[in-house]
Amino acid sequence: MTFDKNALGFGYGEHAPFASNPWMTRGRLFPEATSATRSDFQRDRDRIVHTTAFRRLKHKTQVFIAADGDHYRTRLTHTIEVAQIARALARALKLDEDLAEGVALVHDFGHTPFGHTGEDALHEMLKPYGGFDHNAQSLRIVTKLERRYAEFDGLNLTWESLEGLVKHNGPLLTADGEGTRGPVPQPILDYCALHDLELASFASLEAQVAAIADDIAYNTHDIDDGLRAGYLTFEMLEDVPFLARLMREVHDRYPGLESSRFTHEIMRRQITAMVEDVIGVAQQRIGEIRPQRAADVRQAGTVMATFSEEMGETDKQIKRLLMTRIYRHPEVMRVRENAASIVCDLYHAFMDDPQLMREHYWIDQIAGMAEPARARHVGDYLAGMTDTFAICVHKRLFDHTPDLR
């Protein structure tokens, strides 16, 4: 997909009519006075960065356990890369960069220790009580669990930031009220009863660029980390025609280049090609739909910031490569199994004796709660753990802690 460079707007403060307007936000659940120096979306982004949940991301797994090496992506470095790409896309399309960046920075707040392994294990433990969903947990963190402000729990983010967090991957409900990806998690429904996030509509373009930036980031950096770990080779990348073409370009221009530089030259070209493809698709759909306000984007009936058909096929090929060669690699699966056992052990220990959750702010009340409420508190506590803290607590409570190296 080609794009029109002349149609890109890079002027500071220059916004398209369909961009989200920070001066016309739908507001916050708890009304606050506006700032004289920052827009509401800037304030949202700043609140997100200053949370304990954001800081904890630096010790949460992306793909490889952090103990494997200092240079592998963590959930925090992944988040920063997503935010950088989201901001670039937002600027190119004349959107509100602060909102796009904020959604990108908050999108993984609800992830457990040990990445998707921890999420899967915790979901199994909490199945009798509604299960666990990291997106719903992100919403719980920013509306309930962060305890920083005197006048409210959570961060009291704007409607637009919360909508982007919840719906960045598309509507959660059909027009008939059916879940688009199964039942909507109860925490999201509970919040929407107070502050309706309109789950049947698409999110803003700012949220859409944050979502596709997530795909671009991990499609690229998981290849980089896979090569570093030795699970991928350059020969394996040849299975994806798009990557094979990039490697030929780099080899022809820089013959004999050392492997680390060769990898980086491939990755930077991959990001550029994917970003430019999304811009081209978005420009085309904007031209067809002609949205005149942010509400028109929500009612367009289709995602506007996405890959072209050709790049979408490349995206699928890369994901298959990563799944086959990395995510399902026997050594990775061994570590995943051990990590899952740590999460399950801790869950059962905390359910049996809530006093073991020494830092939990409701520790004295949890033991007397009904089992569903107690399980949710245990889930919140476990989901907030970093990899390192979970391992440390497991070593304190159990005679043997599985090896994650």
Side-chain angles (χ1 to χ4, degrees), residues 347-365:
Y347 175 84
H348 291 302
F350 296 151
M351 285 294 287
D352 291 341
D353 183 4
Q355 291 294 319
L356 295 174
M357 297 185 290
R358 297 176 179 176
E359 298 82 5
H360 197 292
Y361 52 88
W362 276 2
I363 190 168
D364 294 330
Q365 289 81 35

Side-chain angles (χ1 to χ4, degrees), residues 259-273:
S259 61
S260 61
R261 294 178 191 263
F262 186 70
T263 299
H264 180 67
E265 289 293 333
I266 298 166
M267 298 302 98
R268 65 194 291 257
R269 283 166 172 76
Q270 180 179 340
I271 292 174
T272 297

